């Protein structure tokens, strides 16, 4: 990951290299940098020069030194919405449709770009995630399926090789991980959802592997449309069940007097 720097630029070259790794998503929020001695050796700079570079990065709020714990990349993504907006959306479920509309547009664009730009290692990562998804599905491991679902969408975003899109998607997926917009358990308990979702992820990965941007774009849109529709069906069923429960629990009228 870390390469020897241009000694004519010394600390500035080290700063530029680490900034580039952060910008392109190689170094992510919370990642720990190698120990000072190791990092200096890899970048072929003296430790005083490296300390100067790290100080500049810390002043730019890109990294942070933790007492006795090393140096870490700062939390650079942050929430896409303030807590007040999140709570407002929670009180007005109609906004969920807007969330899916946003995801439908940006994820389909990311999938199409990934089909054009994915490097061999990007394809290999998608294939490995799909393999793990199949294993989790076979084992009925819902927790693993949930985690791998998010990992898959992260991998597609990274394979698009657009840094602005990458960081926007990462912020968006925090809402997905935290269940802000919908309960994933409700989705997975739909009778056919788990197998449908697995096949949809495979379709997206297949299109990217084939270098088919139109197919990847379409497969991604179909995926979001299915999730949105299935959740709407589940919500409607919950409402019908709640109403039916009220009817069942209603006290029976007294039988007619004899």
């Amino acid at each position: 990951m870390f390469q020897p720097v241009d000694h004519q630029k010394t600390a500035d070259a080290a700063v530029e290299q680490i900034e580039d790794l952060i910008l392109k998503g190689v170094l992510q929020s919370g990642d720990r940098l190698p120990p000072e001695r190791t990092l200096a050796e890899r970048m072929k700079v003296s430790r005083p020069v490296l300390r100067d570079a790290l100080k500049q990065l810390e002043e730019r709020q890109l990294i942070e030194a933790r007492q006795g714990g090393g140096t870490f990349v700062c939390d650079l993504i942050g929430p896409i919405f303030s807590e007040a907006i999140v709570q407002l959306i929670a009180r007005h479920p109609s906004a969920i449709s807007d969330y899916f509309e946003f995801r439908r547009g940006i994820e389909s664009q990311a999938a199409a770009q990934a089909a054009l730009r994915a490097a061999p290692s990007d394809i290999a990562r998608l294939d490995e995630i799909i393999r793990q998804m199949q294993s989790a599905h076979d084992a009925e491991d819902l927790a693993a399926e949930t985690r791998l679902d998010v990992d898959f969408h992260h991998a597609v975003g990274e394979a698009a090789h657009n840094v602005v899109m990458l960081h926007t998607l990462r912020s968006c997926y925090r809402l997905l991980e935290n269940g802000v917009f919908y309960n994933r358990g409700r989705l997975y308990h739909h009778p056919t959802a788990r197998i449908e979702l697995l096949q949809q992820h495979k379709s997206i990965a297949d299109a990217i592997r084939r270098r088919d941007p139109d197919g990847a774009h379409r497969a991604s849109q179909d995926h979001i449309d299915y999730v949105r529709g299935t959740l709407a069906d589940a919500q409607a069923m919950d409402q019908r069940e709640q109403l039916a429960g009220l009817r069942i629990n209603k006290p029976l009228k007294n039988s007619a007097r004899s």
Side-chain angles (χ1 to χ4, degrees):
M1 183 187 304
F2 300 97
Q3 303 295 323
V5 302
D6 184 348
H7 280 67
Q8 293 180 340
K9 297 182 179 178
T10 58
D12 288 341
V15 170
E16 290 174 7
Q17 182 179 150
I18 295 174
E19 280 191 337
D20 192 57
L21 291 171
I22 293 172
L23 178 63
K24 294 179 178 177
V26 179
L27 285 174
Q28 302 182 30
S29 298
D31 282 352
R32 182 176 181 174
L33 297 184
E36 183 182 288
R37 181 188 298 276
T38 303
L39 188 54
E41 291 174 352
R42 292 180 184 175
M43 302 184 79
K44 304 297 183 185
V45 296
S46 67
R47 294 175 72 175
V49 166
L50 179 62
R51 289 191 197 107
D52 185 24
L54 296 178
K55 180 180 179 182
Q56 290 185 51
L57 292 165
E58 193 166 4
E59 289 172 349
R60 296 175 187 181
Q61 299 182 340
L62 295 174
I63 64 172
E64 58 181 352
R66 299 177 186 173
Q67 186 66 33
T71 302
F72 295 80
V73 178
C74 292
D75 184 356
L76 302 174
I77 299 175
I80 194 170
F81 298 124
S82 69
E83 183 60 26
I85 290 293
V86 169
Q87 294 303 319
L88 180 61
I89 290 171
R91 293 193 298 272
H92 297 271
S94 60
I96 295 175
S97 178
D98 292 340
Y99 168 72
F100 280 117
E101 184 177 277
F102 171 76
R103 279 190 61 193
R104 190 179 193 270
I106 193 170
E107 287 188 19
S108 59
Q109 183 182 354
Q113 290 188 190
L116 296 171
R117 301 177 179 178
S121 58
D122 293 321
I123 301 295
R125 184 181 177 207
L126 286 170
D127 287 343
E128 175 58 21
I129 293 173
I130 291 295
R131 185 194 68 76
Q132 292 182 32
M133 281 182 160
Q134 183 67 64
S135 297
H137 179 269
D138 294 342
E140 298 188 3
D141 187 342
L142 299 185
E145 285 183 295
T146 298
R147 173 180 56 80
L148 290 165
D149 188 320
V150 178
D151 287 350
F152 178 83
H153 289 291
H154 275 302
V156 172
E158 291 169 5
H161 291 276
N162 179 307
V163 296
V164 175
M165 182 179 291
L166 171 65
H167 292 290
T168 301
L169 284 169
R170 283 184 176 171
S171 184
C172 179
Y173 293 148
R174 283 199 173 177
L175 300 175
L176 187 61
E177 293 168 341
N178 297 337
V180 170
F181 283 96
Y182 63 89
N183 184 324
R184 299 177 70 79
R186 174 183 291 178
L187 178 64
Y188 282 132
H189 284 96
H190 185 278
T192 62
R194 290 177 56 244
I195 187 61
E196 292 285 351
L197 292 170
L198 177 61
Q199 293 303 322
Q200 289 161 18
H201 290 128
K202 287 182 177 180
S203 295
I204 295 169
D206 287 344
I208 293 172
R209 192 185 306 105
R210 294 195 313 268
R211 304 294 181 183
D212 178 4
D214 291 338
H217 188 276
R218 185 168 53 254
S220 180
Q221 288 188 333
D222 289 346
H223 170 59
I224 295 299
D225 289 343
Y226 174 82
V227 172
R228 176 163 49 184
T230 301
L231 286 170
D233 289 345
Q235 183 178 15
M237 178 60 74
D238 288 347
Q239 291 172 347
R240 290 194 294 269
E241 180 64 27
Q242 183 179 19
L243 178 58
L246 291 174
R247 289 169 177 161
I248 291 172
N249 294 322
K250 180 181 178 181
L252 296 176
K253 293 181 179 179
N254 294 329
S255 59
R257 294 179 180 178
S258 56

